[in-house]
Amino acid sequence: MRTQVAIIGGGPSGLLLSQLLHRKGIDTVVLERKTRDYVLGRIRAGVLETGFVDLMREAGVAERMDAECIIHDGTVIAFGEKQFRIDFREATGESVVIYGQTELTRDLYDAREAVGGKIVFNVEDVVIHGADTDAPHLTYSVDGAEKRIDCEFVAGCDGFHGVSRQTIPLNVRREYEKVYPFGWLGLLSDTPPVHEELIYSNSERGFALCSQRSWTRSRYYIQCSLSDHVEDWTDQMFWNELRRRLPQDVAERLVTGKSIEKSIAPLRSFVTEPMRWGRLFLCGDAAHIVPPTGAKGLNTAASDIHYLYHGLLQYYEEGDSEGIDRYSEKALARIWKAERFSWSTTNLLHRFPDQNGFDLKMQKADIDFLRENREAQSVFAQNYVGLPF
Ligand code: RFL
Ligand code: PHB
């Protein structure tokens, strides 16, 4: 098989790139390790920056999102019983969009399939060959049969545990990492959200987040220990713990119900540099991870796809390689700022096992400053709605 851009990974990054390039007549093949249903079963992001929404529109896949999404103009931060709101719209003129990663991935799969886009599921043993030459190729197997794709470029969109990043030699690659001493236990339920906007809560029992997918579907998270097992958390235990971590008036309004999904995610900050090696380009979680506190994971993937898409267009339409040559530099400049915001909101809102009295006073002073200072709120809002691409 031959294609122009071989894409490893059929998550949101890979599918969005494939759909954008298809609209410009550039041929792609997507290789996905799992099945479509498995990918759609992963409950992840829920908050989109307008930059992401614009890319979905450019890809021609925003119809359902535009009809069903919820616009949020601000968010609530709680510290113990004290609550305040940061008004994104007033501070930046922009909002964020609530639309689940599951839904937008489904829209992307539907769009690719509607035009006969090539997606190969259940691939195993993907190996990238000759990424540092002008003629790379991939080998992989499906149902035990060996396959090969020749291509002009490879997009590594295969997430944190993929093979693309590992293909870049160790003497070229530098990795930066911070692992946090806790995880997030998430619960999805068909219950009305406790509040019309998100509530990020720093309580003495640890962090909690009230999020949502629609007017009837809620997503809640609580900070948990890394040694916790999801099977040990009954729904009732989850709801009881969540209530204890919310201001009283919020806890009293909480509507509970049976969970649809529960899972634990560890928290990590991670960046690999460079994001390009020869004709291989890393995008999204394959290159960087943020702790979810700032809702930046999927949104940083979107800026990578923006830079790579425009770089490839410039190459194919104008014969100019400036965009792809500067891909890593442009993508990383924005990513490090999102890393900083995600790291700082994580530090601001969680209780750390080794936190002493002084550390807690610093955290409280930071939150007080944010509550009282409009410029500080504006800085938070600019980061939350997303820095320009
Ligand atoms: P994905 O989604 O991990 O997709 C990668 C795909 O590659 C496949 N794959 C392979 N395929 C072929 N060969 C191989 N060797 C392969 N290895 C892997 C995988 O099966 C998979 O289908 O990466 P992508 O596309 O870069 O998308 C990234 C996002 O999924 C991620 O950043 C976000 O979900 C992060 N995130 C959030 N981001 C936000 O912007 N806003 C949020 O509100 C938000 N909330 C979250 C989150 C992530 C969370 N977890 C569980 C980590 C909340 C949580 C709890
Ligand atoms: C979510 O709804 O899953 C979500 C929202 C905001 C975050 C992280 C996750 O910061």
Side-chain angles (χ1 to χ4, degrees):
M1 191 160 29
R2 173 171 288 281
T3 190
Q4 286 171 294
V5 183
I7 299 176
I8 308 174
S13 300
L15 295 170
L16 185 55
L17 181 65
S18 165
Q19 178 66 10
L20 285 162
L21 292 175
H22 161 77
R23 308 250 303 174
K24 296 290 180 182
I26 298 169
D27 189 60
T28 65
V29 174
V30 175
L31 300 182
E32 169 54 50
R33 186 164 58 179
K34 304 284 188 184
T35 63
R36 176 187 157 127
D37 286 347
Y38 182 93
V39 175
L40 292 177
R42 292 189 295 226
I43 309 297
R44 289 183 166 186
V47 179
L48 306 179
E49 298 173 359
T50 41
F52 195 107
V53 173
D54 290 345
L55 268 186
M56 290 286 283
R57 292 200 181 117
E58 198 168 338
V61 285
E63 202 178 313
R64 192 163 71 97
M65 179 178 71
D66 281 334
E68 296 179 11
C69 76
I70 305 176
I71 310 281
H72 281 190
D73 291 338
T75 193
V76 174
I77 308 239
F79 187 76
E81 284 302 315
K82 272 192 182 159
Q83 298 171 54
F84 62 100
R85 177 171 184 268
I86 297 182
D87 192 322
F88 304 149
R89 185 152 276 284
E90 187 185 286
T92 68
E94 284 191 41
S95 310
V96 291
V97 161
I98 304 297
Y99 191 65
Q101 179 167 333
T102 311
E103 301 309 315
L104 71 87
T105 308
R106 187 188 306 281
D107 297 341
L108 284 162
Y109 271 128
D110 288 349
R112 294 310 298 125
E113 280 163 15
V115 292
K118 285 177 241 122
I119 306 178
V120 187
F121 291 101
N122 294 315
V123 302
E124 290 177 285
D125 306 322
V126 175
V127 180
I128 306 170
H129 306 266
D132 56 342
T133 71
D134 286 345
H137 72 274
L138 306 183
T139 54
Y140 60 97
S141 60
V142 185
D143 296 332
E146 299 291 321
K147 309 273 181 186
R148 171 177 172 137
I149 301 182
D150 290 277
C151 57
E152 288 156 10
F153 296 101
V154 180
C157 303
D158 47 353
F160 185 65
H161 300 287
V163 292
S164 300
R165 185 175 69 253
Q166 315 294 343
T167 304
I168 303 181
L170 280 170
N171 63 348
V172 176
R173 184 161 35 111
R174 287 202 66 183
E175 297 187 344
Y176 303 85
E177 182 172 46
K178 184 174 182 67
V179 176
Y180 299 85
F182 39 72
W184 277 18
L185 169 63
L187 180 148
L188 189 72
S189 63
D190 276 328
T191 52
V194 70
H195 186 64
E196 57 191 17
E197 292 177 340
L198 269 55
I199 302 176
Y200 289 87
S201 175
N202 178 334
S203 87
E204 61 183 23
R205 295 182 66 91
F207 171 80
L209 169 61
C210 305
S211 182
Q212 56 191 255
R213 292 289 177 273
S214 70
W215 301 117
T216 55
R217 183 165 285 190
S218 298
R219 180 69 165 161
Y220 294 104
Y221 296 97
I222 52 177
Q223 173 184 348
C224 66
S225 163
L226 283 173
S227 58
D228 282 7
H229 298 286
V230 73
E231 315 80 66
D232 298 334
W233 279 90
T234 63
D235 288 0
Q236 201 50 51
M237 281 163 69
F238 181 94
W239 294 120
N240 289 344
E241 187 58 34
L242 176 64
R243 255 195 223 98
R244 292 194 196 110
R245 296 183 188 198
L246 299 173
Q248 201 183 336
D249 66 309
V250 179
E252 281 167 6
R253 294 200 310 271
L254 184 71
V255 181
T256 64
K258 194 171 151 27
S259 66
I260 305 171
E261 190 263 5
K262 273 203 298 266
S263 52
I264 293 181
L267 267 66
R268 180 196 306 272
S269 299
F270 175 88
V271 180
T272 193
E273 292 187 347
M275 285 173 59
R276 175 211 181 170
W277 184 60
R279 288 183 168 240
L280 167 65
F281 298 85
L282 303 180
C283 304
D285 280 16
H288 41 77
I289 297 286
V290 288
T293 324
K296 289 283 156 256
L298 187 56
N299 291 304
T300 46
S303 58
D304 295 350
I305 298 302
H306 167 91
Y307 293 126
L308 182 55
Y309 166 58
H310 286 284
L312 288 170
L313 277 192
Q314 203 178 341
Y315 176 86
Y316 281 115
E317 291 182 348
E318 298 160 33
D320 181 355
S321 66
E322 185 269 347
I324 52 176
D325 289 342
R326 291 192 55 215
Y327 168 72
S328 182
E329 170 200 334
K330 287 185 189 174
L332 283 165
R334 188 174 186 278
I335 281 151
W336 276 114
K337 292 178 197 134
E339 289 283 343
R340 189 207 65 80
F341 180 64
S342 307
W343 161 83
S344 75
T345 49
T346 301
N347 289 333
L348 186 72
L349 295 168
H350 292 75
R351 294 295 166 111
F352 287 71
D354 61 350
Q355 202 167 21
N356 64 21
F358 181 83
D359 299 329
L360 191 58
K361 286 284 186 195
M362 290 299 97
Q363 212 178 36
K364 182 173 179 305
D366 261 346
I367 292 179
D368 284 345
F369 187 74
L370 185 60
R371 184 178 56 242
E372 291 156 8
N373 189 290
R374 287 172 80 86
E375 278 78 26
Q377 291 190 9
S378 167
V379 169
F380 185 100
Q382 285 173 55
N383 281 282
Y384 200 95
V385 301
L387 300 172
F389 287 175

